[in-house]
């Protein structure tokens, strides 16, 4: 428990205050701003995939030679997440968020000046550091401004921005590249976050962070009045009621301390396995379907159905998490993903059946991966929340890197679509098991912390 000192008597728990008042226009504004940040993140993450063919054509190189460029951002994402979490838990979410959005916008714009593979690789790596820092901090900031009973759904609505931004990257590439060349995609992808970062100056710091760090009481009152103009605000002290038993530790130490260690490791394992499946499927699905004897058009259409179900999955599982045990809900999503992916391998007889299974797999895949961020935000206390969310993202990225490279290795070794899809069910089942274990661990009375 953390107190904000003042001579006055009444104590308001800021989370309880948020839970008891209706969702204000101010909170909708914070949700909208975080949605835009995540959309810009999605656009800049996906942009390289859409421009790769045009870059390869201009530089007269095979698309496969762009491997380092495609994986550089993933390495940067991992590093950005691991660095940004502990910094945000020390100096605040807002400053790190503004800095990271400006940083990835700047380096996306720098890609315009690249003249060879190595320059583009370095610029994409630096872009990745900013992208890796932005998402966990947007997650943490928003989670600390929303009512507990709707937290998972509202966070998952924010994550839909990523899917929307990535789709916008494809549309922008299709519209801009024929007339203005591939560099124009990076001009847009750089200008939007830089302008957004300037607009973020108006964004407030996390209310819970301000309270546990003993910020000036008037700053806290000012923000609370924007949520609800309750007369009690003027004469109260503020607190955050939660388990702060490890608040003397560093955020990384707290995340790995006894009450949180098992949950931390299961979150890392599940997110790693989820990204391994996600990147293997998204990187190699068109090739796998083509190799199985389907036409190029069929392969493209079926692959497009995989991300199409993402928004639906995020909303369904976010809604369920607020009503049922969150860990079990996400475990169920991974379990259904494993079944769907396994069935894709076994039942690839017709385009129709493959299309339905791909859509179902996409709903479960995106629903599970997006809900993992909400799950981490729900799991950690305020003083180590940014670190907890960010480190799960950072560790998971290595699963993504393995997935992006591993699919190619399996294809080169001559394995069939049936074998690779069936094999991909295994990490999904491991992720489900890890989260069921987490739910069981949290249910033990000694560890029931909030």
């Amino acid at each position: 428990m953390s107190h904000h000192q003042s001579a006055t008597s009444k104590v308001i728990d800021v989370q309880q205050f948020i839970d008891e008042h209706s969702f204000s226009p101010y909170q909708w504004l914070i949700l909208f701003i975080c949605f835009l940040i995540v959309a810009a993140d999605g656009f800049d993450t996906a942009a390289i995939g859409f421009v790769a063919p045009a870059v390869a054509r201009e530089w007269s190189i095979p698309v496969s030679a762009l491997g380092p460029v495609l994986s550089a951002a993933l390495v940067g994402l991992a590093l950005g997440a691991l660095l940004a979490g502990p910094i945000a838990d020390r100096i605040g979410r807002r400053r790190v968020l503004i800095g990271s959005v400006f940083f990835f916008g700047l380096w996306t714009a720098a890609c315009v000046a690249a003249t060879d593979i190595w320059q583009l690789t370095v610029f994409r790596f630096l872009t990745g550091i900013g992208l890796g820092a932005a998402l966990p901090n947007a997650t943490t900031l928003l989670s600390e401004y929303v009512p507990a009973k709707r937290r998972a759904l509202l966070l998952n609505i924010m994550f839909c921005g990523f899917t929307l931004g990535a789709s916008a990257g494809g549309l922008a590439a299709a519209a801009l590249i024929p007339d203005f060349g591939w560099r124009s995609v990076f001009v847009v992808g750089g200008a939007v976050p830089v302008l957004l970062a300037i607009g973020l100056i108006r964004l407030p710091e996390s209310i819970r962070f301000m309270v546990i760090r003993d910020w000036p009481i008037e700053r806290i009152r000012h923000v609370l009045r924007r949520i609800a103009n309750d007369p009690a605000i003027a004469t109260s002290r503020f607190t955050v009621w939660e388990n702060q038993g490890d608040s003397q530790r560093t955020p990384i130490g707290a995340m790995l301390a006894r009450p949180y260690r098992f949950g931390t490791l299961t979150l890392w394992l599940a997110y790693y396995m989820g990204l391994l499946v996600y990147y293997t499927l998204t990187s190699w699905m068109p090739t796998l379907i083509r190799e199985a004897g389907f036409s190029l058009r069929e392969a493209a259409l079926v692959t497009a159905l995989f991300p199409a179900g993402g928004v639906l999955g995020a909303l369904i599982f976010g809604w369920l998490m607020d009503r049922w045990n969150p860990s079990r809900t996400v475990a169920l999503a991974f379990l259904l993903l494993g079944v769907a992916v396994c069935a894709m391998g076994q039942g690839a007889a017709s385009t129709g059946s493959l299309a339905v299974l791909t859509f179902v797999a996409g709903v479960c895949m995106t629903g599970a991966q997006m809900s993992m961020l909400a799950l981490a935000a729900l799991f950690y206390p305020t003083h180590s929340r940014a670190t907890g969310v960010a480190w799960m993202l950072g560790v998971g990225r290595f699963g993504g890197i393995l997935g992006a490279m591993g699919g190619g290795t399996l294809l080169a070794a001559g394995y069939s679509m049936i074998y690779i899809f069936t094999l991909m069910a295994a990490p999904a089942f491991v992720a489900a098991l890890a989260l069921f274990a987490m739910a069981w661990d949290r249910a033990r009375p000694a560890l029931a912390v909030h």
Side-chain angles (χ1 to χ4, degrees):
M1 189 181 77
S2 156
H3 278 294
H4 199 293
Q5 295 308 314
S6 169
T8 48
S9 54
K10 186 172 159 56
V11 176
I12 291 179
D13 171 25
V14 289
Q15 186 58 52
Q16 198 181 340
F17 182 89
I18 288 169
D19 292 346
E20 287 171 358
H21 290 87
S22 57
F23 202 66
S24 66
Y26 188 60
Q27 288 160 293
W28 278 116
L29 178 66
I30 294 169
L31 172 59
F32 179 65
I33 291 168
C34 290
F35 181 90
L36 289 180
I37 293 166
V38 176
D41 192 316
F43 185 103
D44 284 0
T45 301
I48 193 70
F50 296 116
V51 304
V55 175
R57 203 163 47 244
E58 185 184 308
W59 292 350
S60 309
I61 52 171
V63 177
S64 59
L66 289 169
V69 177
L70 294 167
S71 54
L74 285 176
V75 179
L77 279 160
L79 187 64
L82 295 173
L83 291 172
I87 296 170
D89 278 326
R90 190 159 287 122
I91 68 166
R93 291 80 166 102
R94 178 181 168 275
R95 276 194 266 176
V96 177
L97 200 48
I98 295 169
S100 59
V101 173
F102 184 79
F103 193 83
F104 78 69
L106 193 69
W107 290 110
T108 297
C111 293
V112 173
T115 53
D116 61 39
I117 287 180
W118 296 111
Q119 284 181 4
L120 196 54
T121 300
V122 170
F123 292 155
R124 284 300 292 171
F125 169 73
L126 291 165
T127 302
I129 291 175
L131 293 169
L135 187 59
N137 278 294
T139 305
T140 305
L141 183 75
L142 183 64
S143 76
E144 292 172 350
Y145 268 105
V146 295
K149 62 180 182 293
R150 291 161 69 192
R151 188 173 289 147
L153 178 61
L154 291 167
L155 282 170
N156 278 12
I157 288 171
M158 179 193 81
F159 302 139
C160 291
F162 190 89
T163 313
L164 200 76
S167 307
L171 295 172
L176 295 170
I177 292 174
D179 294 333
F180 304 103
W182 60 266
R183 288 176 174 84
S184 59
V185 177
F186 289 126
V187 171
V188 174
V192 171
V194 168
L195 292 171
L196 186 58
I198 296 164
L200 291 179
I201 306 293
R202 298 298 302 268
L203 193 71
E205 182 51 84
S206 151
I207 189 79
R208 292 170 72 119
F209 182 85
M210 288 196 281
V211 172
I212 71 162
R213 286 307 176 101
D214 282 338
W215 276 37
I217 200 157
E218 273 313 312
R219 297 279 294 274
I220 298 166
R221 283 181 179 146
H222 175 71
V223 173
L224 285 177
R225 282 192 191 103
R226 304 287 296 271
I227 294 169
N229 203 356
D230 188 320
I233 294 169
T235 57
S236 299
R237 291 185 296 134
F238 304 103
T239 188
V240 174
W241 292 97
E242 64 178 17
N243 185 304
Q244 291 282 11
D246 290 305
S247 58
Q248 302 312 306
R249 294 175 189 264
T250 62
I252 297 169
M255 181 179 76
L256 294 169
R258 208 176 158 272
Y260 296 100
R261 187 185 305 135
F262 186 78
T264 293
L265 296 175
T266 50
L267 285 171
W268 288 1
L269 178 62
Y271 198 71
Y272 179 94
M273 291 297 174
L275 280 189
L276 173 63
V277 178
Y278 178 79
Y279 277 99
T280 304
L281 294 182
T282 50
S283 305
W284 302 103
M285 200 187 280
T287 313
L288 287 171
I289 294 169
R290 187 87 180 83
E291 301 261 312
F294 292 92
S295 73
L296 195 63
R297 188 171 166 273
E298 286 170 332
L301 286 172
V302 169
T303 306
L305 284 169
F306 187 69
V311 171
L312 185 65
L315 299 179
I316 289 170
F317 289 107
W319 184 84
L320 283 171
M321 280 173 80
D322 287 329
R323 277 154 186 78
W324 196 43
N325 180 297
S327 312
R328 287 199 189 109
T329 304
V330 188
L332 180 68
F334 277 119
L335 196 62
L336 294 172
L337 169 67
V339 172
V341 171
C342 202
M344 280 166 75
Q346 304 306 317
S350 71
T351 316
S353 63
L354 189 61
V356 170
L357 289 168
T358 303
F359 182 76
V360 172
V363 168
C364 298
M365 176 82 258
T366 313
Q369 282 306 104
M370 285 189 180
S371 299
M372 284 295 295
L373 281 98
L375 187 60
L378 292 168
F379 178 64
Y380 293 106
T382 305
H383 75 278
S384 59
R385 183 170 290 120
T387 301
V389 175
W391 276 55
M392 181 191 77
L393 281 168
V395 170
R397 292 290 169 197
F398 294 102
I401 295 164
L402 181 65
M405 293 174 356
T409 311
L410 289 169
L411 270 174
Y415 289 108
S416 68
M417 170 177 142
I418 292 174
Y419 180 86
I420 294 174
F421 277 141
T422 310
L423 187 68
M424 278 304 104
F429 291 141
V430 170
L433 273 174
L435 294 178
F436 278 128
M438 180 186 177
W440 169 80
D441 185 64
R442 303 291 287 163
R444 287 156 61 201
L447 295 178
V449 287
H450 288 292

